[in-house]
Amino acid sequence: EAGVAQSPRYKIIEKRQSVAFWCNPISGHATLYWYQQILGQGPKLLIQFQNNGVVDDSQLPKDRFSAERLKGVDSTLKIQPAKLEDSAVYLCASSPGSLGGTFSEAFFGQGTRLTVV
Amino acid sequence: GDSVTQMEGPVTLSEEAFLTINCTYTATGYPSLFWYVQYPGEGLQLLLKATKADDKGSNKGFEATYRKETTSFHLEKGSVQVSDSAVYFCALTNYGGSQGNLIFGKGTKLSVKP
């Protein structure tokens, strides 16, 4: 079974530039998550999708971050404009569960390491 | 809000030593508890989990018991190997909130020396 695919693996941009990350979840997984992991900290949820609808985006800085999951499969996360404090690893994860069902496990991609200079 | 606190690292052990990584949590309701591991250059992988009080999760020689009375989920292994060197994250998800929204601790880096 193919895992969660993310690209690019690494990205270096200057502050105020824009950047986009792509995620392809495990086939058939209804739930998709984007997490931000700052160096030395645990991952923090940015946004959660159930199929192509947003379940939770309460911690997404909406003035600069946006995400979409067209057709309930692939997802993109965009930052515009980037700030120095956005330097982090952006992790995509998916799980097969549905709302009201039993959460079993989230499967993570390798992440995209973003450096803002 | 819900939170996870785990012992800070790094932790350095010799091969075959006993490992304990402490994890405590704060949560309303009845969370499920997890240990995830991140090997160098790889993504987060589920190591083990427990979904209710007194459950014991186990995998690859690692164990953790869900202790509601002490709100703890400490990770243990009787004899570590060099290949166990990684960063370990304790996490919870609370069905009272967003389904599957994992709340992570800061991680503990383990280095095992031959």
Side-chain angles (χ1 to χ4, degrees):
Chain A
E1 173 179 87
V4 176
Q6 290 189 246
S7 68
R9 287 295 309 278
Y10 305 92
K11 190 75 177 178
I12 300 175
I13 62 171
E14 295 182 351
K15 59 183 179 183
R16 292 187 290 274
Q17 285 188 324
S18 63
V19 64
F21 312 125
W22 173 82
C23 172
N24 188 339
I26 293 173
S27 178
H29 280 193
T31 308
L32 185 146
Y33 316 81
W34 284 102
Y35 286 84
Q36 179 192 57
Q37 185 177 12
I38 293 173
L39 185 66
Q41 298 184 21
K44 183 187 78 172
L45 182 73
L46 291 175
I47 188 167
Q48 177 183 350
F49 292 93
Q50 182 73 24
N51 296 310
N52 60 349
V54 175
V55 173
D56 184 353
D57 63 357
S58 58
Q59 298 190 84
L60 187 74
K62 298 181 187 62
D63 57 333
R64 299 183 300 106
F65 286 64
S66 64
E68 60 182 8
R69 190 184 184 195
L70 299 176
K71 301 181 182 179
V73 181
D74 293 6
S75 178
T76 56
L77 176 69
K78 297 179 181 178
I79 308 175
Q80 182 180 11
K83 293 185 175 181
L84 296 177
E85 59 260 36
D86 297 332
S87 294
V89 176
Y90 290 85
L91 298 168
C92 179
S94 68
S95 67
S98 57
L99 286 177
T102 301
F103 175 78
S104 59
E105 177 181 353
F107 296 81
F108 285 81
Q110 290 186 293
T112 296
R113 182 177 298 277
L114 172 68
T115 302
V116 182
V117 298
Chain B
D2 297 348
S3 65
V4 173
T5 302
Q6 61 182 104
M7 66 184 283
E8 297 200 11
V11 174
T12 302
L13 296 174
S14 297
E15 208 165 21
E16 299 183 2
F18 184 85
L19 168 71
T20 299
I21 300 178
N22 290 336
C23 171
T24 57
Y25 68 89
T26 301
T28 57
Y30 304 94
S32 292
L33 302 175
F34 305 82
W35 277 101
Y36 275 80
V37 59
Q38 189 170 35
Y39 297 104
E42 299 184 16
L44 284 163
Q45 304 173 24
L46 179 65
L47 180 60
L48 54 83
K49 67 180 181 181
T51 58
K52 61 183 186 295
D54 300 324
D55 269 2
K56 177 186 284 188
S58 61
N59 186 26
K60 300 181 180 180
F62 290 88
E63 293 183 341
T65 301
Y66 187 164
R67 301 287 188 197
K68 192 166 179 63
E69 64 274 16
T70 55
T71 62
S72 65
F73 192 55
H74 304 320
L75 182 68
E76 296 182 337
K77 186 174 186 181
S79 176
V80 294
Q81 306 300 312
V82 172
S83 57
D84 295 326
S85 298
V87 181
Y88 292 82
F89 292 91
C90 185
L92 69 83
T93 186
N94 198 334
Y95 293 165
S98 299
Q99 191 78 20
N101 175 357
L102 287 164
I103 296 169
F104 287 88
K106 290 186 176 182
T108 303
K109 183 175 182 179
L110 170 66
S111 296
V112 181
K113 306 298 184 185

